Amino acid sequence: MTAAPGPGPDPVDALMGAWRSELPDVLRPTTELSKRIMQLAGALDEATRGILPELGLTVAEFDILAALRRAGEPYRMRPNQLARSLLLSSGGLSNVVNHLTARGLVRREPSPDDGRSTMIRLTPDGVHTAERAVRAHADAHEAVFAEASPTAVQAAARALREVGIRRRPAPRPLRTGRHRSRS
């Protein structure tokens, strides 16, 4: 049986070939997959960063607007919930929210459940900006996959779901063979 013709060699193929000839024992079944995921992540990140300046947004501002819009009506979240969902520090979140507040895209308001805490909420302009940004983001990502068939994209999504990280393993220390006792 002959393999179906695919795209020509790419940078990952070259990288794999180099390691195959120089240090083949470092290649694992996951090596090519991880390199391809990193290459794809870089292309998607570049596409996102390419459209955000046109919208007058930074990546952090986009992330906050998208998270609030994704939350559904009334498009609000507690600051600590928002920070956790975006992996931002509370200080980093506060700075970005200050910028978005000054631009009239979000506002801080008292929590309806607890008068001592606040919520971050999209304004009507924030909802509009978030929706424009999310649509532009989706279009930019679609362009990254423009040469792939919808069937291939769906198959890749299913395969990545299957091999996806279910839990984050603890990092293992490097074993260099140079362990020193500190007694």
Side-chain angles (χ1 to χ4, degrees), residues 15-112:
L15 179 81
M16 296 300 292
W19 282 121
R20 215 171 273 114
S21 70
E22 291 298 320
L23 202 55
D25 62 305
V26 302
L27 296 177
R28 305 288 191 305
T30 56
T31 304
E32 182 178 1
L33 176 62
S34 62
K35 297 303 179 196
R36 291 196 180 284
I37 289 170
M38 291 186 318
Q39 182 184 42
L40 182 56
L44 293 168
D45 183 58
E46 185 179 322
T48 297
R49 290 177 186 277
I51 56 108
L52 292 179
E54 297 169 22
L55 299 165
L57 297 172
T58 66
V59 172
E61 291 168 339
F62 168 75
D63 287 344
I64 289 172
L65 293 176
L68 290 168
R69 177 59 185 86
R70 185 175 56 244
E73 286 193 67
Y75 311 122
R76 69 179 177 211
M77 295 174 79
R78 286 187 167 75
N80 62 350
Q81 179 186 20
L82 190 55
R84 263 194 322 271
S85 73
L86 299 174
L87 304 175
L88 288 172
S89 68
S90 59
L93 176 75
S94 185
N95 287 336
V96 179
V97 168
N98 288 342
H99 289 137
L100 292 171
T101 300
R103 293 177 55 194
L105 300 176
V106 301
R107 67 174 171 252
R108 289 180 172 92
E109 58 184 32
S111 169

Side-chain angles (χ1 to χ4, degrees), residues 91-172:
L93 176 75
S94 185
N95 287 336
V96 179
V97 168
N98 288 342
H99 289 137
L100 292 171
T101 300
R103 293 177 55 194
L105 300 176
V106 301
R107 67 174 171 252
R108 289 180 172 92
E109 58 184 32
S111 169
D113 305 328
D114 179 0
R116 297 171 296 168
S117 63
T118 61
M119 303 288 281
I120 309 299
R121 182 179 190 157
L122 287 177
T123 64
D125 282 346
V127 172
H128 175 72
T129 300
E131 289 174 358
R132 276 186 47 232
V134 169
R135 283 186 174 94
H137 179 259
D139 290 345
H141 283 196
E142 185 78 16
V144 170
F145 296 104
E147 293 185 26
S149 73
T151 303
V153 171
Q154 291 167 354
R158 281 191 304 275
L160 287 171
R161 183 180 298 114
E162 184 178 329
V163 300
I165 298 171
R166 307 241 190 292
R167 65 182 179 90
R168 192 170 296 238
R172 288 187 270 170

